[in-house]
Amino acid sequence: MKKTSILISVVILSIIFSSTAFAAEETKIEVWIDGEQLLFEEEPFIENGTTLIPFRVLFSELGLNVKWNQETKTITGENKSLTVELTLNSNQAVVNGKSIEMLVEPQLVNNHTFVPLRFVGESTGANVSWDGSTKTISITSPEPRVNEEERIIELFNQYEDYYNEENLEIISLFEDQFLEDWGMDTEFEWNFENYNDHFEIKDLEILSNEDNEAYVYVVETYERIDGSFYLDEMYEQIYTLVKSENDKWLINDLEITLFEYINLEKIKNSNVDFPEKDEKEILTTFQKYLDSIKEENLSKLKSTLHEEYIELLDLGWLEEYYEEYLFTYYNYTFVQIEEASVVNVYEDEVTLFIHYNAISTYENIGEVEVEMDESLIKFKKSKNGKWKIIEIESINQNIEFE
């Protein structure tokens, strides 16, 4: 009887222990963060429907730096944008300075501090889900917060790259209506075919960025590399950006606040070899142009202009400008070239830097005006073999826009 009793007791104890082990195995909770399982010295447990786990592993995996205050028994987890404070045996948490009540308070178990998993996870913006059938908790870290300023800067970096690569994908950076209103697609195509210059953003400041609209101040330069001569330019502009339907920043408008030519001293001091005979002919042509203005002689003036220039300006506009405006309102009594030099020769084009003085009277009020003008004049041989003016560009002033 005694042996039978002992045997029964052993069997009963065996059943009890195996049941306990089975129950423990059944209630073991798994915690996964972004596909990686967390391992703990002390296993998580559930209290009042809330899962509690050791705080150090959780805080670390969620990217929070951990601080422990022994005196107040306070755990602090923080990163650049978040501070979470939990206190042992208190259901009051503090998240970024705001007090929040928790369902279950942090507690000490076997010398390990356990904290409510869901509360901490969701405080960081993570998504926390529970699978009751497998007793598995899955935590998905929040998507990195989109830095709109970085996206705006990236837009202008793309603009700079596309321009210098002469890549027509540049038009993808503009809002459709703006492209249509300004004809930017054909503008870029023409520019890439006719110019070879280097574009650089010298300065960029995001003035405002609210909702789906941003204003950006940009200083940009365009410097000629080769080809037909033209002046290097600098623009200060304010761009308006809008968000597209697919959440992409696009250029919607721009406003020029300042324009000026750059590298002028370098251009003026260019030392270009050019036949003296041709240079004298070119200067004679330009002096004839100045004299025709003083004499108010449109026929003489037109004889100094290249046929391509007349076609570009349009003869009707040319006649209207000189006869109905310049000759009507201004009376030039003195025009004289002070300095002139060849600064560029490209194929059949020659560009001169010319400094000249002029004295005029504004007819309406009788005011005398003294002009000291610096210009770059481009000449090209016409069909009759004579050097004639194909472009005039004054360079003695910057333009500010209000």
Side-chain angles (χ1 to χ4, degrees), residues 19-83:
S19 298
T20 304
F22 180 74
E25 184 178 332
E26 281 290 297
T27 57
K28 184 176 180 180
I29 299 168
E30 290 187 5
V31 180
W32 295 72
I33 294 184
D34 296 329
E36 295 287 334
Q37 185 176 4
L38 301 190
L39 301 177
F40 307 98
E41 291 183 20
E42 293 288 329
E43 292 300 322
F45 62 90
I46 298 175
E47 182 177 302
N48 296 332
T50 297
T51 302
L52 291 98
I53 70 172
F55 81 94
R56 286 193 181 277
V57 176
L58 177 63
F59 276 43
S60 176
E61 290 296 326
L62 290 173
L64 299 172
N65 296 315
V66 179
K67 294 180 181 177
W68 166 256
N69 187 318
Q70 178 62 28
E71 184 178 345
T72 61
K73 301 294 188 292
T74 299
I75 309 150
T76 302
E78 59 185 359
N79 57 29
K80 289 182 179 179
S81 59
L82 177 69
T83 300

Side-chain angles (χ1 to χ4, degrees), residues 289-347:
Y289 169 81
L290 295 178
D291 291 342
S292 68
I293 292 176
K294 186 171 65 173
E295 298 164 11
E296 298 184 355
N297 185 334
L298 183 60
S299 178
K300 183 176 181 178
L301 185 146
K302 285 193 291 185
S303 72
T304 68
L305 304 180
H306 196 280
E307 52 267 19
E308 291 180 13
Y309 192 44
I310 293 174
E311 183 180 350
L312 177 67
L313 292 177
D314 181 75
L315 182 59
W317 179 91
L318 193 73
E319 292 175 346
E320 182 179 344
Y321 173 76
Y322 283 104
E323 288 190 326
E324 297 183 20
Y325 171 71
L326 195 68
F327 294 166
T328 300
Y329 294 103
Y330 288 90
N331 179 24
Y332 283 86
T333 56
F334 176 81
V335 183
Q336 179 176 307
I337 297 174
E338 298 292 332
E339 180 185 357
S341 61
V342 175
V343 296
N344 186 264
V345 177
Y346 174 72
E347 295 181 350

Side-chain angles (χ1 to χ4, degrees), residues 140-156:
T140 306
S141 297
E143 289 292 326
R145 186 177 178 184
V146 175
N147 188 319
E148 295 296 349
E149 292 195 357
E150 288 182 1
R151 293 179 65 197
I152 289 170
I153 292 170
E154 178 58 27
L155 169 72
F156 284 96

